[in-house]
Amino acid sequence: MTTFSYPEVGATRRHRLPDGYHHLREATHLGRGRAVFEAAADAVLDWTMHRAAGVRIAPGTPPAAPGVAVTPVLARGPLRIAAPCEVVWTVRDERRAGFAYGTLKGHPECGEESFVVTLDGAEDVRLTVTAFSRPARWYTRAAGPLVPAFQRAYARKCGRALRDRAGGSA
């Protein structure tokens, strides 16, 4: 049985995020129409968006599904940060597609992050990144307010990468 590093597993499915964490909600308009939605949904669920945003995901990692373990690796020069996670929930229906993963022991943060693509009634397609997190390692505690700023920048980078892959326009 997986031991997540936080007790509120699945909380990104709800609108109200748990207290005691930094909260993030970042939405990016990806384009319009069913074709953009389907392409974006595929790219989120098969890790294409993460890879396009510069995160290393091991080859052969299965598409996002509850219970799938994944260790995104952030790399900058010689610095490598591994972030072990497990997929908590997924959704794929006519108007929503995406997943959330939760942090495992060894992750620099503790909490959960979701990546959900939506198609609204006006045919606008958006990616919304929702997260709650707090430092779990000495270096993320030491970085203080830089970590939430990095998380917001990463969410925006995911949105841009997904817009490029899904064929939408700004």
Side-chain angles (χ1 to χ4, degrees), residues 2 4 13 45 63-69 86-91 98-101:
T2 299
F4 290 96
R13 270 192 188 243
L45 292 168
V68 168
E86 184 174 308
V87 176
V88 174
W89 58 263
T90 59
V91 61
F99 72 94
Y101 51 33

Side-chain angles (χ1 to χ4, degrees), residues 110-162:
C110 99
E112 193 171 292
E113 188 167 26
S114 69
F115 305 86
V116 179
V117 177
T118 55
L119 175 67
D120 69 17
E123 296 295 305
D124 285 313
V125 181
R126 285 184 177 72
L127 168 70
T128 302
V129 178
T130 303
F132 62 92
S133 63
R134 61 182 173 220
R137 307 289 291 270
W138 69 267
Y139 54 87
T140 49
R141 284 189 289 278
L146 295 176
V147 174
F150 170 78
Q151 289 172 323
R152 184 163 309 283
Y154 177 67
R156 289 177 179 159
K157 188 172 185 177
C158 285
R160 288 189 305 273
L162 189 56

Side-chain angles (χ1 to χ4, degrees), residues 10-92:
T12 53
R13 270 192 188 243
R14 301 184 296 274
H15 186 70
R16 187 177 189 297
L17 298 175
D19 294 331
Y21 296 88
H22 169 74
H23 295 169
L24 169 74
R25 289 191 204 280
E26 185 71 33
T28 303
H29 186 265
L30 303 176
R32 295 183 47 105
R34 172 70 48 193
V36 171
F37 172 77
E38 294 296 337
D42 291 344
V44 165
L45 292 168
D46 73 5
W47 310 106
T48 298
M49 176 194 70
H50 281 72
R51 289 180 175 111
V55 173
R56 294 182 183 164
I57 302 289
T61 300
V68 168
V70 61
T71 301
V73 176
L74 305 170
R76 176 80 72 172
L79 179 65
R80 304 274 182 274
I81 299 175
C85 297
E86 184 174 308
V87 176
V88 174
W89 58 263
T90 59
V91 61
R92 179 107 193 218

